[in-house]
Amino acid sequence: MPPAPSSPASRGPSVWILGDQLLVQHPALSLDRPVILVESLQRLRLRRYHARKLVLILAAMRHYADALRERGYTVELRQAASFYAGVREHLAETGNTHLMTMAAAEYDTRQMQHRLADMLTADLGYPITVEVLPNTQFLVAMFPPKRPPKLMEPFYRHMRQQTGLLMTSAGEPEGGKWNYDADNRKPFAGRLVPPLPSFAPDALTRTAMQDVGQHCPNAIGDPLDFDLPVTHAQAQAALDDFITQRLPNFGQFEDAMSHAEPILYHSVLAMLVNIGLLEPLHMATAATHAYDAGTAPLNSVEGFVRQVIGWREYIYYRYWELMPELREVNAWEHTRALPEFFWTGATRMRCMQHTVQRTLATGYTHHIERLMLLCNFAMLAELEPQQVNDWFMACFVDAYEWVMLPNVLGMGLNADGGKTATKPYLASANYINKMSDYCKGCGYNHKARIGDAACPFNTLYWHFLLKHETRLRANPRFGPAVLGVSRIAADERAAIVAQAHTLLANLDQL
Ligand SMILES: Cc1cc2nc3c(=O)[nH]c(=O)nc-3n(C[C@H](O)[C@H](O)[C@H](O)COP(=O)(O)OP(=O)(O)OC[C@H]3O[C@@H](n4cnc5c(N)ncnc54)[C@H](O)[C@@H]3O)c2cc1C
Ligand code: SF4
């Protein structure tokens, strides 16, 4: 250990940048402050993750360190047992007694940042000061709502007004409407979808691929199968590609699902904006420029802007409103274990088979597959919310706790009692058949709700409605769907319940 500096706070500051904060304009950056980036082995192994996510973070951090050095910064990229160990070793070696960092997006790390000064002071034996700067990765910090919003829609309108995106000079929403969702529910028409751009790994990225293979042998997927963007320039190229190639059709096919096309017209940018390789205002503005230039229609551009400055910001806001209790919520008291096919894709349900297999291989499926297939099934099968969340955290490249908990436990499973979304998102095969081409090639019959060939989504959907009829009827947004229950004859009700109980006891046989 170096000798204690002669006076407290006499050295530094150093700047600690987290692996999901790789911003070009990080608020603590200054040429006279050394930067420390920590590759924490503990964090890499905290839970099972998708290999592509681990490679993305390591490769992006290493490229970020090089890019900062090229801009004149002094940067240390340190492999350490934990974040704490890495920061402590850095301070001990440099003798710096002041650390600056930006508030983490996730709860535990932010809590740790606020305890860090006390921990380091006790550990190093001389005073250390830690300055936690406000997080600049979310627009809501810049434009906080006047009152805590209960719904996404008023929150989104507030964000539109504050950013001025898609607003006329008279303060009206562009095109006269705030929302073009009604135009955005077309099934996929089997068109040619432009392929995603592929970014060949360079030597630095190849090392990250090997490191993940070596340090995280339990990771999901293959670390050597990697072609994602890892630099700001590549992320910008991915954004440009989306804006020119897929944004024009993003809106109309936003909710469509297809066994033939894994991506359709979605952006696949969440994994980049979530680690700072892109920024939300820049993404949304790029889309509005396409509208201004006449290269993308309003329903697509508004749909994308809604996702980025509406849903994404609202989810982050909700996370911080509901933490830490959000982790434990289970409003429907579901306790069933995740069936094995979530880890293999080995199920006869064609929609689930394709979606799970694709997720395991690539770490990505789009929003409606996450919500209306995976979570819908989990809800109907009464799976324990925390196990479902763990599965999502493990399988997706864009997974971080701040975004997963409100989306999975809140929106997907309604386990927070409706604090994130106003209604449970439940659907039978009727919806899946309308929005996808899965049912046509499936061994189950999407029209039947009882009988050997009946689609499990149907049996379990009607069972759920029967079981929770009173509670669901009380929800103004879901209530009308429950009316169908009263048209089911008593003997069919009994048959649905009996068959559902058999399915629920044998989920691995589906
Ligand atoms: C059950 C469930 C789990 C999810 N888990 C995650 C997750 O771990 N990480 C994650 O980033 N998103 C998550 N989402 C939100 C959304 O599904 C993904 O952001 C989106 O599918 C990512 O693909 P994309 O980049 O092609 O998005 P696009 O469809 O192209 O949307 C554009 C952007 O909007 C943002 N966005 C859209 N919807 C949401 C939302 N509900 N919450 C936050 N951001 C949103 C994303 O940044 C996304 O890149 C989840 C949604 C559900 C229902
Ligand atoms: S019939 Fe049912 S299980 Fe088969 S693809 Fe359709 S919704 Fe999925």
Side-chain angles (χ1 to χ4, degrees), residues 47 57 86 115 167 193 217 272 309 312 336 376 390 403 417:
R47 48 167 82 227
I57 293 177
R115 290 193 311 270
M167 299 298 295
V193 179
L272 306 180
I309 70 165
R312 183 171 188 273
R336 195 160 285 107
N376 184 22
D390 285 349
V403 63

Side-chain angles (χ1 to χ4, degrees), residues 217-510:
N218 290 333
I220 294 163
D222 179 0
L224 301 182
D225 174 18
F226 185 88
D227 65 349
L228 300 173
V230 293
T231 64
H232 291 100
Q234 290 178 344
Q236 180 62 44
L239 172 63
D240 291 344
D241 182 82
F242 166 68
I243 298 289
T244 54
Q245 301 298 314
R246 297 192 302 289
L247 176 64
N249 284 310
F250 172 83
Q252 59 173 335
F253 300 124
E254 195 177 347
D255 288 3
M257 299 177 277
S258 169
H259 84 283
E261 292 291 345
I263 307 292
L264 291 176
Y265 297 95
H266 295 83
S267 71
V268 197
L269 296 174
M271 58 183 76
L272 306 180
V273 66
N274 289 353
I275 62 172
L277 289 187
L278 288 172
E279 295 193 46
L281 192 56
H282 178 67
M283 285 162 63
T285 306
T288 63
H289 285 166
Y291 173 66
D292 294 341
T295 56
L298 187 53
N299 64 309
S300 280
V301 173
E302 190 281 318
F304 185 70
V305 168
R306 167 181 294 269
Q307 300 305 310
V308 177
I309 70 165
W311 276 112
R312 183 171 188 273
E313 298 287 333
Y314 178 72
I315 286 290
Y316 179 72
Y317 187 90
R318 269 275 168 260
Y319 172 75
W320 282 99
E321 287 268 299
L322 300 176
M323 281 299 280
E325 291 77 14
L326 183 59
R327 284 182 182 145
E328 305 306 326
V329 293
N330 191 354
W332 296 85
E333 296 176 6
H334 289 162
T335 54
R336 195 160 285 107
L338 220 62
E340 186 58 23
F341 68 73
F342 269 78
W343 300 105
T344 61
T347 165
R348 286 175 292 136
M349 294 182 287
R350 190 167 184 245
C351 52
M352 291 294 282
Q353 182 197 91
H354 273 259
T355 306
V356 170
Q357 282 176 351
R358 186 189 295 153
T359 304
L360 294 172
T362 67
Y364 179 87
T365 65
H366 73 65
H367 184 71
I368 291 300
E369 292 157 340
R370 299 184 201 202
L371 186 65
M372 301 309 292
L373 285 181
L374 297 167
C375 279
N376 184 22
F377 181 85
M379 180 91 174
L380 298 178
E382 304 175 347
L383 305 185
E384 193 200 37
Q386 284 67 29
Q387 288 192 43
V388 179
N389 188 66
D390 285 349
W391 180 83
F392 270 97
M393 280 298 284
C395 291
F396 282 83
V397 178
D398 54 33
Y400 295 87
E401 191 190 57
W402 68 264
V403 63
M404 220 24 128
L405 283 180
N407 270 307
V408 176
L409 298 187
M411 200 188 309
L413 303 179
N414 200 249
D416 63 352
K419 289 184 178 138
T420 305
T422 46
K423 63 165 185 176
Y425 285 89
L426 300 173
S428 66
N430 189 29
Y431 173 86
I432 298 168
N433 183 48
K434 199 169 79 186
M435 296 311 300
S436 81
D437 52 14
Y438 282 123
C439 299
K440 288 183 189 69
C442 181
Y444 288 111
N445 178 353
H446 70 271
K447 291 192 176 147
R449 52 189 170 203
I450 44 174
D452 284 349
C455 168
F457 276 92
N458 288 342
T459 317
L460 295 177
Y461 174 80
W462 290 103
H463 166 256
F464 199 94
L465 263 52
L466 287 166
K467 184 169 172 179
H468 300 289
E469 185 176 351
T470 313
R471 185 168 169 184
L472 290 169
R473 207 180 280 281
N475 182 315
R477 288 201 65 208
F478 196 88
V482 194
L483 295 177
V485 163
S486 50
R487 290 193 288 272
I488 304 177
D491 56 346
E492 195 184 349
R493 285 178 182 225
I496 290 171
V497 172
Q499 184 158 332
H501 287 172
T502 307
L503 295 184
L504 291 171
N506 299 282
L507 289 178
D508 270 321
Q509 313 300 320
L510 295 179

Side-chain angles (χ1 to χ4, degrees), residues 80-150:
S82 65
F83 286 146
Y84 177 74
V87 169
R88 180 175 49 72
E89 286 157 18
H90 168 85
L91 292 180
E93 283 170 21
T94 57
N96 280 352
T97 55
H98 183 185
L99 186 73
M100 293 176 79
T101 185
M102 184 171 83
E106 292 188 316
Y107 188 85
D108 283 348
T109 311
R110 194 178 290 187
Q111 298 296 106
M112 185 272 236
Q113 287 172 317
H114 288 296
R115 290 193 311 270
L116 198 54
D118 288 345
M119 291 158 70
L120 289 165
T121 299
D123 216 358
L124 292 172
Y126 48 86
I128 299 289
T129 53
V130 176
E131 211 176 328
V132 183
L133 304 177
N135 187 298
T136 61
Q137 291 172 286
F138 297 88
L139 296 168
V140 67
M142 218 187 315
F143 307 119
K146 288 195 189 77
R147 281 180 299 280
K150 297 234 175 322

